[in-house]
């Protein structure tokens, strides 16, 4: 096997020639161009303002106190650095493949396949998680609907149609054990356990099978998939409407909440120091994943070279300002250590006795989650479309609907891939696994800019990342970081390995420090660009904060992908000489 065949690259010229050929084709292989910069900004806000502002911001604030705003700034900077790299590639190669296509140009086919496979996991798990979360928010909102005129006191869906099969089954077994061992009555069960018990008991049966299904999750997936299938214009209009609604609610929360701030709650500002702030890095970064999905719409932009870079940057800036303001309001209204709850915004307004605000927030949360799902469901089929065009996936995935001009087959398959697990599985614990796939993509895109920066034969787009010599900055930052950790004692503590498992948990951090040293040394003679270097290192650092078990699961997923590549994709690749 030739090593070169594994790393065969696509050129910018060949990609753009294929785009022009698709546009000139009478068979309708192109996507409709309807997106302007305001639409791209709206897509970015739709993707970023979701679970982060309605859920994970509470846990991060409880760990870091008011100083969590610095974590949002750090995460925004890391995402911003990565966005510069995405923007440069999007300007250079304005096609639907996002990080997959960019890696094909910079690193070659094998790395492109790996990142494409990683993105499949990122979007799939992200979509399933968001769909399940949306179902929870919807049922909570329906239960809060009270209409005195008709005597309505909440809409209560049967328990068996608002949770997944595994949760109900496990909860029922736990409830039975509690009843038998403790001799307790059903009414003595914990409310959450009672709900799972009743769901299992009340569920319709097909033979011995209990039909427990998360039907609201199915409903939103079918609705969003239909929107994405119908066309980019319909998706754009729905996204813009949802963004307006949730921004209006967030601004209302800020306008009302600012009058209830007690500045005493901001003292101490960083109760657990920098280590406490950094504990929430994975949860906070999860709030930012999805902005890269904007780049998958490149072929549907009227002017992608100009608008994609601006859309990404403005989306990150707007969302970061909102996150910081909301974090200050939350930690100002109640003490930070009370915010480790699933719905922090609703919780805070309950504490100050504003029940109408909690209902408004629940409506906004439902809209926000739906908008995140829309952007993710829109992004994944376009990744599959690009991989199929290159021969790495079956040809049907590149089929464009003759009327709606969307990747129709890929969109339907994505709908099934998300809907079936969301019906039966509880995947609320996969935030870290979703984040690691995204960060991996960010690392490779930043690395791609560094690889191509000194190659004069590569065609460039209209946007270039501002150049600053990393060789003057990275050594100073590296030495400064070592001195800081030495002064705090964290450096010596890090090298105190008490057991094999303890060593295993430190492997991700070891990878980060070894690669940081390597990049710092290489940056001097190679005169590497500072912004993509900082983007690569900051994203790699956030990866190192994710527990080792998620690295292992991610590694298993990549191994499965490599099996598929070597058994199917490598042979069917358009770059395989036998296919030319």
């Amino acid at each position: 096997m030739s090593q070169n065949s594994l790393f065969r690259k696509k050129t910018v010229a060949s990609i753009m020639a294929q785009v022009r050929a698709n546009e000139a084709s009478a068979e309708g292989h192109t996507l409709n161009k309807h997106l302007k910069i305001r639409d791209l900004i709206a897509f970015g806000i739709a993707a970023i303002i979701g679970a982060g502002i309605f859920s994970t911001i509470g846990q991060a604030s409880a760990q870091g106190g008011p100083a969590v705003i610095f974590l949002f700034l750090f995460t925004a900077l890391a995402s911003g650095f990565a966005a510069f790299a995405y923007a440069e590639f999007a300007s250079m190669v304005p096609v639907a493949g996002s990080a997959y296509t960019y890696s094909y140009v910079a690193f070659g086919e094998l790395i492109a396949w790996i990142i494409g496979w990683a993105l499949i996991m990122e979007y799939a798990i992200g979509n399933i998680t968001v769909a399940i979360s949306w179902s929870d928010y919807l049922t909570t909102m329906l239960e809060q609907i009270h209409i005195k005129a008709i005597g309505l006191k909440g809409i209560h869906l049967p328990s068996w149609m608002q949770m997944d099969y595994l949760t109900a089954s496990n909860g029922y077994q736990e409830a039975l054990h509690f009843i038998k061992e403790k001799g307790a009555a059903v009414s003595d069960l914990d409310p959450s356990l009672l709900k799972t018990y009743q769901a299992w008991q009340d569920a319709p049966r097909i033979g011995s099978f209990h039909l427990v299904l998360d039907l609201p999750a199915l409903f939103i997936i079918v609705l969003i998939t239909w929107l994405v299938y119908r066309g980019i214009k319909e998706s754009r209009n729905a996204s813009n409407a949802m963004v307006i609604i949730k921004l209006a609610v967030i601004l209302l929360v800020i306008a009302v909440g600012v009058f209830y701030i007690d500045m005493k709650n901001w003292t101490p500002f960083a109760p657990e120091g920098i280590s406490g702030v950094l504990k929430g890095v994975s949860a906070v970064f999860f709030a930012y994943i999805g902005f890269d999905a904007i780049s998958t719409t490149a072929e549907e932009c009227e002017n992608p070279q100009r608008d994609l870079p601006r859309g990404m940057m403005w989306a990150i800036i707007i969302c970061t300002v909102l996150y910081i303001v909301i974090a200050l309001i939350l930690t100002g209204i109640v003490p930070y250590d009370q915010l480790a709850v699933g719905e922090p915004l609703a919780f805070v307004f309950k504490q100050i006795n504003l029940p109408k605000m909690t209902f408004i927030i629940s409506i906004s949360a439902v809209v926000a989650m739906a908008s995140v799902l829309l952007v993710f469901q829109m992004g994944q089929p376009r990744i599959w479309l690009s991989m199929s065009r290159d021969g790495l996936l079956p040809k049907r995935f590149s089929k464009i609907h003759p009327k709606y001009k969307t990747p129709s087959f890929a969109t339907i398959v994505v709908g099934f891939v998300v809907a079936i697990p969301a019906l039966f599985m509880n995947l609320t614990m996969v935030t870290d696994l979703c984040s690691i796939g995204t960060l991996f993509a960010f690392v490779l895109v930043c690395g791609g800019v560094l690889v191509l920066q000194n190659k004069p034969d590569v065609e460039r787009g209209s946007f270039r990342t501002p150049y600053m010599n990393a060789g003057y900055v990275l050594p100073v930052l590296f030495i400064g970081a070592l001195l800081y950790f030495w002064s705090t004692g964290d450096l010596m503590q890090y090298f105190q390995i008490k057991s094999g498992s303890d060593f295993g948990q430190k492997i991700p951090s070891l990878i980060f420090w070894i690669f940081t040293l390597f990049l710092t040394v290489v940056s001097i003679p190679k005169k590497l660009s500072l912004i993509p270097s900082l983007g690569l290192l900051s994203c790699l650092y956030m990866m190192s904060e994710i527990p080792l078990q998620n690295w292992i699961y991610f590694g298993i997923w990549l191994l499965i992908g490599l099996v598929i590549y070597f058994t199917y994709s490598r042979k069917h690749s358009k770059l395989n000489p036998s296919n030319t």
Side-chain angles (χ1 to χ4, degrees):
M1 181 187 300
S2 170
Q3 182 179 2
N4 289 337
S5 70
L6 296 179
F7 299 98
R8 50 200 178 198
K9 299 179 181 179
K10 297 192 75 173
T11 64
V12 176
S14 66
I15 294 172
M16 298 312 297
Q18 183 60 51
V19 171
R20 289 190 290 270
N22 288 340
E23 291 175 348
S25 171
E27 298 179 8
H29 292 302
T30 58
L31 304 169
N32 279 335
K33 296 181 180 293
H34 287 299
L35 302 180
K36 300 179 180 179
I37 185 169
R38 64 174 180 271
D39 304 312
L40 296 173
I41 295 173
F43 277 138
I45 295 173
I48 297 172
I49 301 292
I53 210 160
F54 291 101
S55 179
T56 55
I57 192 173
Q59 186 63 43
S61 298
Q63 293 172 332
V68 74
I69 63 172
F70 297 118
L71 184 54
F72 280 109
L73 282 173
F74 170 73
T75 309
L77 278 174
S79 299
F81 293 146
F84 270 105
Y86 268 91
E88 180 165 337
F89 270 117
S91 176
M92 185 190 310
V93 197
V95 295
S98 185
Y100 157 76
T101 301
Y102 308 157
S103 296
Y104 220 144
V105 172
F107 300 109
E109 186 171 280
L110 180 62
I111 304 301
W113 168 264
I114 289 173
I115 195 61
W117 188 248
L119 288 173
I120 288 174
M121 183 197 70
E122 172 206 338
Y123 284 119
I125 291 179
N127 291 350
I128 294 166
T129 306
V130 171
I132 293 171
S133 298
W134 184 90
S135 174
D136 294 339
Y137 277 106
L138 177 71
T139 53
T140 300
M141 183 197 76
L142 292 176
E143 289 170 359
Q144 294 177 2
I145 296 176
H146 291 175
I147 304 176
K148 291 183 179 180
I150 59 174
L152 179 64
K153 295 183 179 180
I155 299 173
H156 301 275
L157 297 178
S159 300
W160 60 268
M161 68 166 58
Q162 57 174 289
M163 71 176 63
D164 60 276
Y165 181 90
L166 292 178
T167 296
S169 176
N170 294 336
Y172 178 74
Q173 295 301 324
E174 185 180 345
L176 281 184
H177 177 76
F178 181 80
I179 292 170
K180 291 178 180 178
E181 293 293 322
K182 305 291 184 180
V186 173
S187 58
D188 296 328
L189 294 174
D190 176 85
S192 60
L193 198 58
L194 177 61
K195 187 175 183 179
T196 59
Y197 178 86
Q198 291 175 335
W200 188 260
Q201 284 283 76
D202 299 341
R205 301 185 188 186
I206 303 175
S208 60
F209 180 78
H210 292 248
L211 197 64
V212 181
L213 303 170
D214 194 340
L215 291 183
L218 176 64
F219 166 76
I220 191 61
I221 293 167
V222 171
L223 177 61
I224 294 297
T225 302
W226 174 78
L227 266 177
V228 174
Y229 182 88
R230 286 277 299 179
I232 192 65
K233 185 184 291 186
E234 288 76 8
S235 300
R236 177 200 66 188
N237 294 342
S239 172
N240 291 348
M242 288 188 282
V243 166
I244 290 172
I245 291 171
K246 67 181 176 182
L247 284 182
V249 172
I250 289 170
L251 292 176
L252 177 64
V253 167
I254 293 171
V256 174
V258 72
F259 292 102
Y260 291 88
I261 289 176
D262 182 355
M263 297 183 68
K264 293 178 182 177
N265 289 329
W266 288 341
T267 304
F269 197 72
E272 301 295 330
I274 190 171
S275 60
V277 172
L278 291 176
K279 283 180 182 177
V281 66
S282 177
V284 169
F285 178 74
F286 187 72
Y288 281 89
I289 69 171
F291 87 83
D292 58 314
I294 303 175
S295 63
T296 67
T297 66
E299 289 184 43
E300 291 149 295
C301 296
E302 292 183 359
N303 190 340
Q305 286 91 345
R306 181 196 67 191
D307 293 343
L308 275 170
R310 295 179 182 179
M312 290 182 188
M313 298 303 175
W314 276 113
I316 291 174
I317 291 169
I318 291 169
C319 293
T320 300
V321 171
L322 292 175
Y323 274 130
I324 289 174
V325 174
I326 289 292
L328 288 174
I329 286 176
L330 290 178
T331 55
I333 294 177
V334 301
Y336 72 92
D337 55 2
Q338 297 181 17
L339 290 171
V341 294
E343 300 175 7
L345 286 183
F347 169 78
V348 163
F349 283 98
K350 284 180 183 177
Q351 295 299 103
I352 56 178
N353 197 28
L354 291 176
K356 290 184 179 180
M357 282 295 296
T358 63
F359 181 65
I360 293 172
I361 289 168
S362 66
I363 295 174
S364 180
V366 169
V367 173
M369 292 293 184
S371 68
V372 174
L373 188 61
L374 172 64
V375 177
F376 274 53
Q377 284 292 92
M378 190 175 60
Q380 175 135 318
R382 284 152 179 80
I383 299 290
W384 292 13
L385 166 73
S386 293
M387 296 176 75
S388 175
R389 282 174 173 173
D390 296 331
L392 304 187
L393 288 178
K395 189 175 180 180
R396 290 200 68 183
F397 286 96
S398 58
K399 181 182 178 182
I400 303 295
H401 194 283
K403 178 180 178 181
Y404 302 132
K405 300 300 182 182
T406 57
S408 51
F409 179 76
T411 300
I412 293 172
V413 172
V414 167
F416 278 103
V417 166
V418 177
I420 294 173
L423 275 176
F424 297 101
M425 300 177 66
N426 183 351
L427 294 177
T428 54
M429 299 301 292
V430 294
T431 302
D432 286 347
L433 194 56
C434 188
S435 294
I436 199 170
T438 307
L439 286 165
F440 184 63
F442 287 7
V443 165
L444 284 184
V445 172
C446 291
V449 171
L450 295 175
V451 167
L452 297 180
Q453 75 169 42
N454 294 321
K455 294 187 176 181
D457 57 328
V458 176
E459 292 186 32
R460 302 290 175 177
S462 58
F463 179 85
R464 291 289 300 272
T465 302
Y467 177 80
M468 290 173 277
N469 192 336
Y472 295 130
V473 180
L474 287 187
V476 176
L477 293 178
F478 183 75
I479 293 171
L482 287 178
L483 291 175
Y484 171 79
F485 286 114
W486 179 274
S487 66
T488 59
D490 291 342
L491 191 63
M492 295 304 296
Q493 184 179 3
Y494 177 78
F495 286 103
Q496 293 176 0
I497 299 172
K498 300 177 181 179
S499 65
S501 61
D502 189 35
F503 173 75
Q505 293 301 324
K506 292 177 179 179
I507 289 177
S509 293
L510 275 173
I511 293 173
F512 167 73
W513 283 109
I514 291 171
F515 192 83
T516 300
L517 177 60
F518 167 77
L519 192 67
T520 300
V521 172
V522 169
S523 68
I524 300 172
K526 296 291 186 180
K527 299 180 180 179
L528 297 180
S529 179
L530 179 63
I531 289 178
S533 297
L534 291 176
L536 190 157
L537 292 178
S538 55
C539 291
L540 188 60
Y541 171 76
M542 287 190 284
M543 284 183 72
S544 73
E545 289 294 306
I546 295 175
L548 179 65
Q549 65 182 21
N550 291 287
W551 285 65
I552 295 172
Y553 295 149
F554 182 60
I556 293 172
W557 175 257
L558 293 186
L559 286 176
I560 294 172
L562 288 175
V563 171
I564 296 173
Y565 174 75
F566 285 108
T567 56
Y568 176 87
S569 303
R570 184 170 176 271
K571 181 173 65 174
H572 292 84
S573 169
K574 294 289 181 66
L575 295 188
N576 189 330
S578 62
N579 295 328
T580 56

